[in-house]
């Protein structure tokens, strides 16, 4: 199952990263502005100091002497006093070429200097060395008391003569105002940048929000698709399994029990094949809607495979409540579906299993409901069945029997017995009906009515039917002509597509004349695939093989079959023979069948003659052929004696 992390869980780290990035950008910008402001102020201070030093060295008399430590002349003293406050300069110091202070502007008014032990950079050797080597050094400072401006620079400018440093001036530059102006200008820049950053962040967040919403919607959709069947919108198999797990887990924790219904549409394939896949899809959607409408909140409905649905009924464990819901589902799906302005009916079969009763694990309860469904389908369409334990054994048994049957085909376990068919006189044998016998090594004899359906369901009817045809034809080829052999064909043999070839091959291999082979079919064959079956029957007729309608009167007994298909004979089912003596109505029916068959040019056989009374009555009704235990039981080939045969006009 696809696991998709919730988008909200991924948003926060991303958002925090975005905020951190913006904060980092702001801090960086502040640092840059600060740096730029310091540099500007230093450059400004340097510029002022240089101008002052140039002015001083040009205008102060014998500055060289002062640097050497000589006292200034009165003219020089006046100049120095004048230079004490020039524009932003509010103080200065003069140092000799070794970096010792020789004059401080504050002392010009005093009779004796106050500070004498000052050195360049207040003892900072690095600053001193730089300056004495001809470099300008600007130190930005904050005023600590009222004697200093809030912000000022101490600029050391060496004074050179003939390429040598003759002394150093230290100029104190008031930069409070300048700093304010720079701050104001930078404030404007910062405000602009912040506004831009804010706008960009807003636009980005807007875009991001929309993207997130789209992502969330896509993830929701992916999550939905991974849990649901796209066509019907019901849960899919994996999420139904999860729902089963959850229900089992809740039950283990004292929650309600539950049951599972497996629902299979009875005629979906026909709808799909005849009306097209779009119609099939439409029908499945409607089935989904109907099922959803039937269940209660807390129940789950899923589509497991093409036309297979499953319901988890929470709290429903009593057989009555499960049965009631199953019946409602059967009734709801029996209602016709409106597809493409056509009304289409399907119906369904249902199997149910109860958790905790029929199964103890989620997988098992689904499996058992499915087994119950198989049983419901076998019982006929539109049926509902609960799981029962014997079912498992029966299915195992059946699977084993299919394996045994596969091995039995062509082995001595399988044999054909032949029951003689008599002419109306009850003495003359006209031919034999081949009847299959299976002697199972463990179970003993198994009746054809039990294993023929097994062969049909498992696909084994094709090799089995071929073997019967080949064996019967080979046997009949050894009988005196015109004795015939009748072989029963199952409807499933017609859907193999090669029945005509198989019959032709059996005739050729045995050398039996086609007219001496008769195939018996039942009405059930004619109910479906009419085109294909008609084609095969006509091809068999064209081969010269005779065709008999077996067990007539037990099925739909549609008289139309008798003239629409190329029959040569009708075999009246033995249930009529059985009631012939005691029910005049049966006699009437038999007489009608005989007269109808006569007028259509068909021969009439009566099956199941067990006593003289029946024999007599059937002779009176005008039957052409008689068959039954009274006359002969089915016998193995080697037991046949062919005492008396007749060259009976046939077909
Ligand atoms: P069916 O074709 O109607 O065969 C006649 C059945 O009636 C045979 O049963 C036969 O033994 C039985 N029978 C004959 N006379 C009497 C009688 O007087 N009284 C009673 N009670 N029964 C009588 P069997 O051999 O058990 O076969 C049952 C059915 O199995 C057959 O019915 C036929 O439909 C099918 N079958 C038999 N062999 C084959 C085969 O080789 N292929 C196919 N596809 N079906 C076969
Ligand atoms: Mg038969
Ligand atoms: Mg029959």
């Amino acid at each position: 199952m696809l696991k998709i992390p919730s988008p909200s869980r991924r948003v926060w780290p991303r958002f925090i990263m975005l905020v951190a990035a913006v904060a980092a950008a702001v801090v960086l910008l502040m640092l840059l502005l600060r740096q730029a402001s310091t540099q500007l102020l230093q450059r400004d201070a340097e510029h002022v100091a240089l101008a002052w030093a140039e002015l001083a060295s040009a205008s102060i008399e014998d500055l060289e002497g002062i640097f050497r430590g000589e006292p200034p002349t009165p003219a020089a003293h006046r100049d120095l006093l004048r230079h004490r406050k020039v524009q932003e300069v509010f103080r200065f110091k003069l140092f000799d070429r070794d970096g010792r202070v020789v004059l401080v502007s504050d002392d010009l008014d005093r009779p004796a200097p106050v500070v004498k032990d000052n050195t360049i950079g207040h003892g900072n050797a690095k600053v001193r060395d730089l300056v004495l080597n001809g470099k300008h050094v600007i130190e930005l400072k904050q005023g600590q008391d009222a004697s200093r401006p809030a912000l000022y620079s101490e600029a050391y400018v060496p004074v050179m003569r003939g390429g040598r440093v003759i002394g150093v001036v230290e100029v104190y530059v008031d930069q409070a105002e300048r700093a304010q102006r720079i701050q104001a200008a930078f404030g404007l820049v910062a405000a602009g940048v912040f506004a831009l950053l804010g706008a960009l962040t807003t636009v980005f967040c807007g875009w991001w929000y929309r993207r997130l919403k789209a992502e969330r919607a896509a993830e929701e959709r992916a999550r939905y698709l991974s849990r649901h069947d796209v066509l019907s919108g019901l849960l899919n198999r994996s999420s139904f399994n999860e729902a089963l797990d959850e229900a089992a887990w809740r039950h283990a924790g004292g929650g309600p029990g539950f049951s599972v219904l497996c629902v299979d549409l009875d005629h979906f394939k026909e709808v799909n094949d005849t009306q097209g896949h779009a119609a099939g899809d439409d029908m499945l959607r409607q089935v989904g809607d109907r099922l959803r409408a039937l269940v209660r909140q807390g129940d789950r409905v899923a589509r497991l495979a093409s036309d297979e649905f499953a319901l988890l009924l929470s709290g429903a464990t009593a057989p009555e409540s499960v049965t009631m819901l199953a019946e409602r589902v059967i009734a709801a799906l029996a209602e016709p579906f409106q597809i493409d302005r056509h009304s289409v009916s399907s119906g369904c079969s249902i199997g149910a299993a109860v958790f905790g009763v029929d199964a103890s694990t989620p997988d098992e309860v689904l499996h058992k409901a499915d087994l119950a469904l198989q049983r419901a389908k076998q019982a006929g369409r539109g049926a509902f069945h609960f799981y029962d334990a014997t079912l498992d054994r029966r299915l195992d048994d059946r699977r084993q029997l299919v394996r045994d049957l596969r091995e039995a085909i062509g082995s001595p376990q399988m044999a054909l017995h032949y029951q003689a068919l008599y002419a109306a006189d009850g003495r003359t044998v006209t031919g034999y009906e081949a009847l299959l016998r299976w002697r199972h090594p463990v179970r003993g004899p198994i009746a054809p009515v039990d294993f023929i359906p097994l062969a049909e369901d498992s696909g084994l009817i094709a090799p089995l039917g071929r073997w019967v045809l080949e064996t019967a034809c080979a046997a009949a080829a050894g009988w005196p002509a015109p004795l015939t052999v009748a072989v029963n064909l199952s409807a499933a043999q017609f859907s193999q597509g090669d029945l005509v070839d198989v019959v032709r091959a059996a005739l050729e291999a045995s050398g039996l004349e086609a007219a001496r082979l008769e195939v018996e079919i039942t009405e059930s064959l004619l109910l479906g695939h009419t085109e294909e079956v008609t084609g095969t029957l006509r091809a068999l007729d064209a081969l010269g093989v005779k065709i008999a309608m077996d067990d007539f009167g037990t099925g739909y007994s549609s008289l139309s079959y008798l003239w629409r298909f190329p029959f040569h004979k009708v075999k009246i089912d033995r249930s009529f023979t059985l009631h012939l003596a005691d029910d005049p109505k049966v006699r009437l029916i038999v007489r009608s069948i005989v007269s109808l068959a006569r007028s259509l040019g068909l021969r009439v056989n009566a099956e199941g003659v067990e006593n003289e009374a029946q024999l007599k009555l059937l002779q009176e009704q005008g039957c052409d052929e008689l068959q039954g235990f009274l006359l002969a039981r089915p016998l193995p080939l080697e037991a046949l004696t062919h005492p008396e045969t007749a060259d009976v006009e046939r077909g």
Side-chain angles (χ1 to χ4, degrees):
M1 167 96 201
L2 195 61
K3 281 265 180 277
I4 299 159
S6 148
S8 59
R9 254 184 279 151
R10 294 189 333 221
V11 169
W12 284 112
R14 286 198 208 173
F15 186 71
I16 290 167
M17 266 166 63
L18 178 73
V19 170
V22 171
V26 168
V27 169
L28 193 72
L29 181 72
M30 302 288 278
L31 285 175
L32 281 174
L33 287 178
R34 208 183 141 110
Q35 173 85 4
S37 151
T38 307
Q39 273 180 4
L40 272 177
L41 287 171
Q42 279 177 332
R43 208 168 299 156
D44 181 59
E46 187 181 19
H47 185 71
V48 171
L50 271 174
W52 188 92
E54 241 166 64
L55 185 71
S57 54
S59 57
I60 298 169
E61 196 182 84
D62 193 23
L63 190 61
E64 253 186 278
I66 298 172
F67 277 137
R68 279 197 302 274
E70 294 163 12
T73 62
H77 192 265
R78 269 198 311 278
D79 287 340
L80 286 167
L81 268 175
R82 252 194 302 124
H83 281 86
R84 197 166 58 174
K85 286 218 167 51
V86 181
Q87 292 177 2
E88 291 95 356
V89 176
F90 63 92
R91 192 179 187 229
F92 64 85
K93 286 180 187 171
L94 301 181
F95 299 89
D96 65 15
R97 65 175 182 210
D98 296 321
R100 283 186 298 268
V101 74
V102 289
L103 190 140
V104 178
S105 61
D106 304 339
D107 298 339
L108 287 170
D109 305 326
R110 300 186 185 121
V114 175
V115 197
K116 274 282 182 218
D117 56 343
N118 258 350
T119 54
I120 291 175
H122 309 285
N124 185 333
K126 207 170 144 202
V127 173
R128 181 177 166 278
D129 291 349
L130 277 170
V131 176
L132 294 182
N133 281 308
K135 298 277 181 312
H136 306 152
V137 174
I138 323 295
E139 286 181 338
L140 205 59
K141 300 210 165 156
Q142 274 171 349
Q144 302 298 331
D145 53 44
S147 66
R148 296 278 189 274
L151 195 80
Y152 65 97
S153 285
E154 289 179 14
Y156 295 94
V157 177
V159 178
M160 319 281 285
R161 284 282 149 83
R164 283 191 311 113
V165 174
I166 57 161
V168 175
V169 295
E170 183 193 359
V171 183
Y172 286 67
V173 185
D174 179 355
Q175 292 195 295
E177 203 186 307
R178 177 91 176 132
Q180 257 177 18
R181 281 209 304 278
I182 290 176
Q183 252 174 29
F186 280 179
L188 268 177
V189 172
V193 171
F194 286 153
L196 191 70
L197 213 60
L200 282 177
T201 310
T202 312
V203 169
F204 178 73
C205 283
W207 167 81
W208 199 32
Y209 175 73
R210 279 194 301 280
R211 216 190 88 159
L212 247 155
K213 247 174 77 169
E215 230 173 63
R216 195 176 291 224
E219 277 165 0
E220 278 301 319
R221 177 97 188 115
R223 200 189 304 276
Y224 178 85
L225 290 179
S226 72
R227 295 188 50 78
H228 291 81
D229 163 49
V230 186
L231 186 69
S232 61
L234 300 175
L235 293 182
N236 60 18
R237 186 180 278 276
S238 72
S239 28
F240 188 71
N241 284 339
E242 276 176 27
L244 286 177
D245 287 345
E246 197 188 310
W249 180 78
R250 272 211 232 132
H251 181 56
F258 64 95
S259 55
V260 171
L261 295 192
C262 279
V263 181
D264 191 274
L265 299 186
D266 286 339
H267 296 291
F268 175 71
K269 201 179 161 333
E270 285 95 312
V271 175
N272 222 22
D273 291 350
T274 56
Q275 318 261 325
H277 289 277
D281 287 355
D282 198 1
M283 182 160 165
L284 292 175
R285 265 190 290 270
Q286 293 188 37
V287 169
D289 292 344
R290 290 187 191 181
L291 291 179
R292 243 194 306 252
L294 279 177
V295 298
R296 290 171 310 182
Q297 205 175 4
D299 293 347
R300 295 274 181 280
V301 188
R303 180 171 163 237
L304 302 183
S306 125
D307 61 341
E308 220 183 295
F309 297 82
L311 280 74
L312 186 162
L313 307 177
S314 183
T317 50
E320 303 76 45
S321 51
V322 178
T323 307
M324 200 174 76
L325 198 106
E327 279 168 357
R328 280 168 58 198
V329 171
I330 289 178
L333 299 188
E335 288 291 312
F337 295 88
Q338 282 303 317
I339 294 166
D340 239 359
R341 277 177 280 123
H342 294 294
S343 175
V344 181
S345 297
S346 173
C348 69
S349 305
I350 300 181
V354 181
F355 187 77
V357 177
D358 301 321
S360 52
T361 68
D363 281 353
E364 204 187 347
V365 72
L366 185 59
H367 178 62
K368 301 246 161 114
D370 194 50
L371 287 179
L373 170 65
Q374 304 309 321
R375 187 173 161 211
K377 285 207 285 202
Q378 277 168 21
R381 313 225 142 165
F384 162 63
H385 265 285
F386 266 110
Y387 170 80
D388 78 80
T390 52
L391 198 66
D392 258 355
R393 281 199 294 280
R394 240 181 285 157
L395 282 174
D396 274 353
D397 206 45
R398 201 178 139 85
R399 276 193 282 268
Q400 183 55 45
L401 211 55
V402 169
R403 280 196 286 273
D404 295 347
L405 181 60
R406 183 169 285 124
E407 278 174 23
I409 299 171
S411 84
Q413 291 176 32
M414 209 55 97
L416 282 183
H417 282 196
Y418 300 89
Q419 187 178 28
L421 309 178
Y422 283 80
D425 62 10
R427 284 192 313 277
T428 320
V429 175
T430 58
Y432 296 90
E433 177 175 0
L435 294 163
L436 201 46
R437 295 290 174 263
W438 179 18
R439 182 170 289 278
H440 189 279
V442 180
R443 301 176 198 228
I446 302 180
V449 283
D450 292 328
F451 70 83
I452 294 286
L454 205 65
E456 287 173 341
D457 288 352
S458 60
L460 288 174
I461 194 67
L464 186 61
R466 178 178 297 131
W467 179 83
V468 169
L469 273 163
E470 285 166 356
T471 313
C473 288
W479 301 335
L483 282 181
T484 60
V485 67
V487 172
N488 293 282
L489 293 183
S490 128
Q493 283 170 273
F494 280 75
S495 44
Q496 303 290 322
D498 63 348
L499 184 62
V500 180
D501 295 336
V502 171
V503 170
R504 192 185 292 120
L507 288 172
E508 276 170 15
S510 61
L512 185 74
E513 197 192 333
R516 290 178 61 198
L517 172 65
E518 191 169 77
V519 292
E520 296 188 4
I521 60 161
T522 52
E523 275 177 306
S524 63
L525 171 72
L526 308 173
L527 288 175
H529 321 98
T530 324
E531 294 272 300
E532 198 189 334
V533 169
T534 313
T536 308
L537 288 177
R538 289 200 196 291
L540 288 175
D541 183 46
L543 266 185
V545 172
K546 303 282 184 280
I547 302 167
M549 160 78 85
D550 203 356
D551 304 341
F552 190 73
T554 52
Y556 291 82
S557 306
S558 169
L559 299 178
S560 72
Y561 293 146
L562 295 180
W563 60 265
R564 274 173 52 206
F565 298 98
F567 287 112
H568 300 86
K569 185 198 278 183
V570 178
K571 294 184 77 175
I572 301 174
D573 190 69
R574 70 183 153 86
S575 53
F576 290 93
T577 307
L578 195 65
H579 297 109
L580 207 60
D582 45 83
D583 195 339
K585 273 189 274 175
V586 175
R587 283 198 290 279
L588 204 65
I589 293 173
V590 171
R591 186 169 309 172
S592 310
I593 296 174
V594 171
S595 92
L596 180 81
R598 278 273 159 73
S599 46
L600 289 169
L602 309 178
R603 289 167 59 77
V604 179
N605 165 305
E607 297 182 280
V609 187
E610 290 184 352
N611 56 47
E612 292 291 346
Q614 289 166 348
L615 178 69
K616 198 162 164 281
L617 280 168
L618 287 165
Q619 285 170 327
E620 277 170 19
Q621 305 305 320
C623 291
D624 303 292
E625 196 177 88
L626 302 161
Q627 178 180 2
F629 292 169
L630 174 74
L631 304 164
R633 285 193 172 255
L635 294 169
L637 181 65
E638 51 283 5
L640 301 184
T641 50
H642 320 299
E644 196 177 335
T645 60
D647 189 358
V648 182
E649 179 79 11
R650 294 171 49 82

